[in-house]
Amino acid sequence: MALTLGALMCFCLAWLFMLKPRKFVSLFTLGSVMAMASFAVLNGPVNHLKHICSSERLPFTVAYFGSLFATLYFSISVRSTIFTLIFGAAQLVALLWYYTSYLPGGTTGLRFFSKFFIKTVKTTLPV
């Protein structure tokens, strides 16, 4: 319960730093880690680790943790706002993918809307 509340608090407080992208993304990343830890506590750490490392979840795991570490690296070490925002967005997409995969029809709906979004962007923007 404390991890879930901590994650919610980090997500809410992150919006106060909207004009400072590196601080925003760092706080959002902390909230994201707490949210993932709360799932691990609810399912049991070993079971959760087995679950996210299964063959069907492995792409998510690589995308999520890769974007998580890249976000922190570019935010804290390199201090590059552009790369921080890029990997922060990738982290958000991976986290949404994770959450929607637990909803009935969530993954199918996410695929539908992502294809719709990509098709709309391709037809709207001259690429």
Side-chain angles (χ1 to χ4, degrees), residues 14 17-29 71 75 80-82 84-85 88:
F17 295 105
M18 198 61 181
L19 297 176
K20 297 182 182 248
R22 289 193 317 250
K23 288 183 182 182
F24 169 79
V25 172
S26 296
L27 198 53
F28 185 84
T29 301
T71 301
S75 175
S80 170
T81 303
I82 301 283
T84 299
L85 290 174

Side-chain angles (χ1 to χ4, degrees), residues 3 32-55 57-58 60-61 64-65 95 98-99 101-102:
L3 285 170
S32 180
V33 168
M34 286 183 166
M36 187 60 65
S38 70
F39 273 102
V41 168
L42 288 174
N43 296 331
V46 174
N47 287 336
H48 185 71
L49 187 62
K50 286 179 185 177
H51 179 69
I52 64 173
C53 290
S54 66
S55 62
R57 298 274 181 189
L58 199 57
F60 154 76
T61 304
Y64 176 72
F65 286 107
L95 193 61
Y98 180 74
Y99 284 144
S101 69
Y102 283 98

Side-chain angles (χ1 to χ4, degrees), residues 87-127:
F87 287 109
Q91 177 187 340
L92 178 63
V93 168
L95 193 61
L96 287 175
W97 180 18
Y98 180 74
Y99 284 144
T100 56
S101 69
Y102 283 98
L103 298 174
T107 306
T108 306
L110 188 63
R111 273 193 214 117
F112 171 76
F113 284 114
S114 64
K115 286 180 184 177
F116 177 75
F117 176 75
I118 289 170
K119 186 175 118 179
T120 304
V121 168
K122 283 182 178 179
T123 59
T124 306
L125 297 175
V127 179

Side-chain angles (χ1 to χ4, degrees), residues 61-72:
T61 304
V62 170
Y64 176 72
F65 286 107
S67 64
L68 185 92
F69 290 124
T71 301
L72 290 175

